[in-house]
Structures are given as structure tokens and as C-alpha cells.
Amino acid sequence: MRSVSNLVVVVIEDDPAIRLFLRKGLGAHGFKVFEAERGKQGIIEAGVRKPDLIILDLALPDIDGVEVIKAIRAWSTLPIIILSARSSEQHKIEALDAGADDYLTKPFGLGELLARIRVAMRHSTNSPEQDQQGIFSTGELKVDIPKREVTIGDREVHLTPIQFRLLSLLIKNAGKVSTHQYLLKEIWGPSNIDNSHYLRIYMSQLRQKLETDPTQPLYLLTESGVGYRLKI
């Protein structure tokens, strides 16, 4: 993975004060920052600059940020981090389901943004955490996906087929937020996307099997009201 100190970033944000904050803050950490104050301009910048990362506001003067996500996702998988004053669960879910990698609500701190960038870049490279043999590891958790084997340290963990499927989906999106709707649709089908209690039950079971303290999870993190994230 490239160092986060030499990344090219396109910031799509109509607020000049926030653009200035990001330009100075990210620039001080070695980022090369390009800016766009409108969505359509941002899509062009994303194509021309070939950035490593997009930082995107949702409330843009010409088109909604969700449309920007969809336009970029039509040709690229580069990480997209949302910075938005929209804090409702529905807005977060809509952006994440459209293809955003992460969602940070304004006001925000530079330190947290940098941490989210590091996570997004680890996920985008899909590097050491999951090798070419389909073996994923983070901390003491190791999952051999082809063999369907799960271990915590030296301890083998036995998962039911649905528990393993849920864990595999979280691994597929490791470092990213997987929304409730996405997980429910993929595991139980489109007719069950409102049955969130299914997900709560199986996530609780996974934590009981994988976490030292299920009430303070190290791997299976909750994004309140939105979904779950497998920490890497």
C-alpha cells in the first residue's frame, strides 16, 4: 500500500472554508489536493487527476452527491469518503449503498479523517489482509475462505453456514461499512431487507464466537443505525 503521505486526493466540496481546511490540513501531511466546488466538475476531476481517493460532500449546488458517487462507480472503485452535514441514518445508508466507502459527519476532526483515509486505502489495496489463496487475517482472527476454516489464535471456531456467510460478506467489504439492507439482501434475499432482527441475532452469535468480550468487540464493529464494519 502506498503511504498516505503521498496520495492524490480530489475534494468535491462547495464550502470554500472547508476546502481551505482540507487543502491546508491534508497538504501538511503530504497529500496532493485537487478541488472542485460542483459535482459535475468533481466527476471530471476524478477522471483527469486519477486520484487515490475522493472526499465528497453530498449537498452540492448542481447535482446531489449520491449522483456523483454513482457516476464515479460506473468506471472506478477508488475509495470515496463522504463529508456531510446530513446526519440522518437514511442519508448515510443511501450514500453507502450507492458505493461510498465511509461517511463522516460535519463537524469533523482532521485526525479522524486521516484515520478513515488509512482504513479506506488498506481496503482498496486488498493487500496483506487477504492473500491470493483467499486467506484473510486481522489481529488473531484468521479465515481460510476456500476451506471455510476460522481460527482465533490457536483456537478453531465452528460457524454455521449462515454465520460463515455473514462473516465472508464482512470480509469482502473489510474496512468498509456494510449496511443492514445490503447484508440482509445478500444473505436472506430482497424480501427480507426489513427483518433487521435476523441480522442482530446472527451478529450477536458471531461476536460470541469471535470476540474475547462481545460487549467490546475488536473485530465486528457497529455503525449505529447504519450497519457493521469488520475492522482491519
Side-chain angles (χ1 to χ4, degrees):
M1 184 186 76
R2 288 179 57 186
S3 166
V4 294
S5 64
N6 60 0
L7 298 181
V8 176
V9 180
V10 168
V11 174
I12 308 173
E13 166 66 67
D14 67 325
D15 187 328
I18 293 179
R19 289 204 310 274
L20 177 62
F21 173 77
L22 291 173
R23 183 167 67 248
K24 289 186 174 181
L26 295 177
H29 285 81
F31 291 74
K32 187 173 185 179
V33 180
F34 295 96
E35 302 171 32
E37 59 182 310
R38 293 177 177 271
K40 292 178 180 178
Q41 178 191 359
I43 294 168
I44 293 171
E45 287 289 304
V48 171
R49 305 296 181 183
K50 306 297 183 187
D52 299 289
L53 180 84
I54 299 286
I55 295 176
L56 171 67
D57 185 19
L58 293 181
L60 299 168
D62 56 343
I63 59 175
D64 191 81
V66 171
E67 296 306 312
V68 177
I69 298 170
K70 291 177 180 178
I72 293 173
R73 281 289 170 262
W75 54 270
S76 176
T77 59
L78 66 90
I80 299 174
I81 296 179
I82 303 300
L83 289 180
S84 179
R86 298 177 185 174
S87 58
S88 75
E89 293 175 4
Q90 189 53 44
H91 283 130
K92 294 179 181 180
I93 290 167
E94 186 178 7
L96 292 165
D97 279 346
D101 292 79
D102 209 341
Y103 197 114
L104 202 53
T105 303
K106 298 175 182 175
F108 63 94
L110 183 62
E112 182 177 6
L113 175 59
L114 289 169
R116 301 290 183 106
I117 288 173
R118 289 192 292 272
V119 170
M121 294 311 301
R122 283 202 300 272
H123 176 262
S124 71
T125 56
N126 192 32
S127 62
E129 289 81 24
Q130 185 172 345
D131 64 22
Q132 293 180 347
Q133 285 73 45
I135 298 175
F136 171 89
S137 62
T138 180
E140 292 195 332
L141 173 63
K142 181 178 179 181
V143 183
D144 187 323
I145 294 176
K147 293 182 179 179
R148 303 176 70 87
E149 294 177 352
V150 181
T151 54
I152 295 287
D154 296 326
R155 175 174 62 90
E156 186 174 355
V157 179
H158 296 283
L159 300 183
T160 68
I162 290 182
Q163 290 169 355
F164 187 83
R165 226 175 134 195
L166 175 56
L167 180 59
S168 297
L169 273 178
L170 293 169
I171 289 172
K172 178 182 176 182
N173 297 284
K176 293 176 60 175
V177 179
S178 295
T179 65
H180 297 139
Q181 287 89 336
Y182 166 76
L183 294 170
L184 287 163
K185 179 182 177 182
E186 292 297 314
I187 296 174
W188 288 281
S191 62
N192 287 292
I193 59 173
D194 294 324
N195 294 329
S196 58
H197 62 284
Y198 290 174
L199 193 53
R200 285 196 300 271
I201 291 169
Y202 278 93
M203 185 58 68
S204 175
Q205 292 173 352
L206 268 183
R207 284 177 170 157
Q208 290 290 335
K209 292 184 176 183
L210 301 180
E211 302 284 0
T212 302
D213 181 357
T215 65
Q216 299 289 330
L218 296 176
Y219 306 114
L220 304 172
L221 307 183
T222 298
E223 295 289 337
S224 183
V226 178
Y228 298 97
R229 181 203 306 267
L230 177 60
K231 187 175 180 180
I232 57 175

